Amino acid sequence: MSSRVGSSVADHARGRVARVVADFLKIDPAAIDPHMPLVLYGLDSVGSMELVAELERALERELPEWLLLEHPDLEALVRALEEAVRLKPDATQITPPRAATTVASGAATTVASGFSRTAELQQMLADSILPADIRPPAAGTAGTESRILLTGATGFLGAYLLRDLLDMTDAEIWCLVRGTDADSSGRIAANLARYGLNPRTDGRIHAVGGDLTLPGFGLRPSLYRDLSELIDAIYHVAADVNWVLPYGALRRANVVGTRELLRLACTHRSKAFHFISSLSVCYATGGPAIVGEDDDMLPHVDRLPLGYAQSKCVAESLTRQAALRGLPIRIHRPPLIVGDSRSGTSNLDDLVALLIKGCVQMGTAPDLDWTFDAMPVDFVSSAIVRLGQDFHHQGHWHLHHPQPRHWRECVLWMNMFGYSVRLVPYQQWQQHLTVDSSSPQHALHPLRSFFLRPRDEGIGIGGSTVPELYQEGRRSAVTGDVTRRAMATLGLEYPRLDAELFDRYFVSYLSRGFLPQPAQSASTRPTKRTAGCHEDPRFLEGLLRRHSGDPGLRVRSVSINPIGTGHSVISELTSWRRQRSAGLFKCQLTIERTGTTDPECVDLVIKAKPSDRDALDVGQTVAAMCDERLERAFREYRERIGLAGSHLRELAVYEHADVRVQRYLPQCFGTWRNDECEEWGLALEHLQSLTLLNAVDQPKSWSRPHIDSVISGLSDLHAIWYGREPALQNAVWLDEGLSRARACELTPLWGALAAHAAPYFRAWVGPSMTRTHRQLVDSIDKWWQPLEQQPRTLIHNDFSPRNVALRQDDHGFRLCAYDWELATPGPPQRDLAEFLCFVLHPGVSLHEVDCLVERHRHLLETAAGTSIPRDPWREGFRSALADLLIDKLAFYALVNRVRSQPYLPRVLRTWQRLFTLFSQRVDE
């Protein structure tokens, strides 16, 4: 092509781009200076992405969102576009760019838009080398931090860190803020007020106007020198937190700024350097399986899906090199940061707030396997200040939560709050997002490419978006044992990530007009929490007096604390909804008995039960957020799934238990029921000394002697009511029980549960599992007959290592079974089938399982004093397995949709093995 023709094409390209830009800015194309940054024409960050979208439509090419940050004026923009696509006068004839194949860390990378990822990796590696002249003086810091330089004070975390540094130390704080000194003071004060923070300042805040990305921050040399001589420590919080832009667009703010601060930290005298990084630097795709506190992720920087994480990773590398040269450093890696745990005040522009609002606007949420590790800002800030005072620790802190929640639990809670939000497959949700978020008024409009654009960066993740790459199992996991021990030493308790906390956030969202009022009735819940009777020392005193027969017993002190957040989502949501305690509580009492003066310590577990209505409502909500067919079936049959009356059933088990039953139950110190106040509960022994307590994820720990001991106790329990069905029918606290008639009538529910479970069962076990499941639903009347022809007894109906443990004494092991709320009349093989599916290996032999089934039959026959034929018993065991699948295991899959049940894939594989073995045995 001649230079004249080339010039003509370039001029035409410039004209076309200029027209698109001018139309977007609503100005005359001739008025645009090609060398003037477009921000001076009023283009902001959101507008930049919208303009890129307009250019994509005009050029019929995908373009990077960061295009205008790297190429901020018209001339630079045209040059970049000429390199990315061969512009022709007719846009419909644009020739696709030749894919540039490069190599990054040994992986082939196909670059789709002409923008080289190899060059970006080379830039990151070059940026990660700390200049040789950044080296602290030989004399170290004295360890005091009485004069602190803080960056990011006009941000969310920065505001809280400024508050805590002022309240928790006596230090003077110099705040480096972009702009002039005068403007900076006002912005700092306004930011504190925005989040309702009112620290005791005592004139200790000094505003310094500057720019992190400039040499010397753009300060007067004399001011820079004064700071370098004055400051004891630097807390570097400021960053461009962006989920869309690549490394190249973030390096100046996040990398160059860190490098300049390290230079200051090493000038004149050493200054302790506290770098606020991000846990996202640990989330590599195809990187190490587990990342510890001191692990360097720079070797995996090209496997970090986010440009923001890459920029923090490079900045960490600079900080560590400064440490090797003698600078005292601490690197803090927080996860997502959410609102204040006390006030609920949040940053309305962060990812969590925008995602919640976007899901509410759309009525759908992405069904992704996300660990929702989001920490309250006040906890993160306090932890940074407290941990930062440990002058002997050099390295990293992981500020993630040891018991994070799951994203699907958050969606469930949104539904319980009153917003109708259905979980849908990610690709379906993307389709909704593509249409709904096209308007700038949509909360997720600025994050469209984060959720929609696949990443193809040569690390085996082509076609996956960043949210997909952040799912469990697709990224590195993190551990923080060192941090947790340090937290414990300092007395720092992790906040409870529960419904009460979510409630504070949503109330704040509503009060600030960020979310619309929910259409449903969650707002009718009580606004003030009512203490439960179990929280009254006098009530507990009376309970223990009746149990011990000692009317003079005195309770001197009581300490009651919840046991974890993961035990029961039903109890948690009920406690929040009713504003009354429900769930498990550890109760430590100091008592004095009559005739003694020495105090005695007693440990109890208080089980404050939710009502059956609340449990059914939660189940209904889970069904509704998952599947319309399942929601209809659940609503129709909810009274017959075994939850009705569950809040009274367990109380009755303990109240009516004779000596034979009590032998295998936890010791009960008393029960209570108050239907008017909706309070029901039990005071039980604390079971911490039991063997194999909560060993649901430890199948290898269940040895043959352990299993035999459980079967022995189970046989004794089954023998008490075996063949005494009239007596069971007279027990008003029991439901109708398991029967062929019930199983057949609930076929529509079993079918809906099977359809919902099919994708999970297929992924975990294989397509044969879903076929078997479907066939069993269609043939209930046939396979239930062997169970119908045998006597029933009182069964536990939730008999797994979740609710079973062993006592050990001089005579060996003895069963202890708890959580009896689902107890019901049914075939005894059902309890055995459930237990064996949990404790046996998927490769178990027919001989081994046959011996266990025969042991149960023989011991029950002996204890009940009746003959139990062998072949019908085995046929009944096979039918019990079938009923276990369509009823219990299918419901487990529904629960797994909200709260992960990690043991479930293994249990299903064992179920398939047992069912196959006994199907063959029955056929023989």
Side-chain angles (χ1 to χ4, degrees), residues 210-401:
D211 187 334
L212 279 175
T213 65
L214 298 177
F217 316 127
L219 304 178
R220 300 186 312 276
S222 59
L223 177 56
Y224 185 90
R225 183 180 61 253
D226 290 344
L227 285 174
S228 69
E229 295 174 349
L230 184 69
I231 296 300
D232 301 315
I234 297 173
Y235 283 75
H236 180 28
V237 187
D240 188 346
V241 182
N242 191 291
W243 304 98
V244 173
L245 298 178
Y247 174 83
L250 299 171
R251 63 177 294 273
R252 287 192 60 79
N254 296 350
V255 177
V256 174
T258 303
R259 186 180 65 204
E260 291 304 307
L261 284 166
L262 287 168
R263 187 183 301 278
L264 176 65
C266 295
T267 302
H268 289 295
R269 62 192 187 93
S270 292
K271 304 160 188 65
F273 192 79
H274 303 261
F275 178 56
I276 315 305
S277 182
S278 167
L279 212 59
S280 65
V281 304
C282 303
Y283 296 147
T285 301
I290 299 177
V291 179
E293 281 107 332
D294 289 327
D295 287 340
D296 180 4
M297 293 300 291
L298 186 65
H300 313 284
V301 67
D302 60 330
R303 295 180 175 272
L304 300 176
L306 278 178
Y308 170 70
Q310 291 173 331
S311 69
K312 284 293 189 179
C313 184
V314 173
E316 279 193 8
S317 179
L318 296 175
T319 305
R320 279 191 297 273
Q321 289 173 63
L324 292 175
R325 298 176 188 181
L327 188 71
I329 65 102
R330 295 158 191 87
I331 296 176
H332 304 268
R333 290 172 172 170
L336 289 172
I337 297 175
V338 290
D340 190 311
S341 64
R342 289 162 290 192
S343 70
T345 303
S346 303
N347 177 10
L348 301 183
D349 294 323
D350 68 14
L351 176 66
V352 174
L354 294 176
L355 177 58
I356 289 173
K357 183 174 182 178
C359 291
V360 168
Q361 288 176 318
M362 297 165 63
T364 58
D367 191 3
L368 290 170
D369 191 17
W370 283 337
T371 295
F372 198 68
D373 189 2
M375 282 293 232
V377 63
D378 51 318
F379 173 82
V380 173
S381 175
S382 176
I384 289 172
V385 174
R386 296 284 300 279
L387 292 169
Q389 303 308 303
D390 181 359
F391 300 108
H392 302 291
H393 179 84
Q394 294 281 314
H396 308 65
W397 298 114
H398 279 179
L399 303 180
H400 68 298
H401 203 287

Side-chain angles (χ1 to χ4, degrees), residues 637-644 735-736 739 741-742 745-746:
Y637 297 105
R638 57 181 271 169
E639 300 299 326
R640 301 189 63 192
I641 63 175
L643 285 176
D735 67 353
E736 61 178 304
S739 67
R742 170 187 176 271
E745 289 173 16
L746 268 61

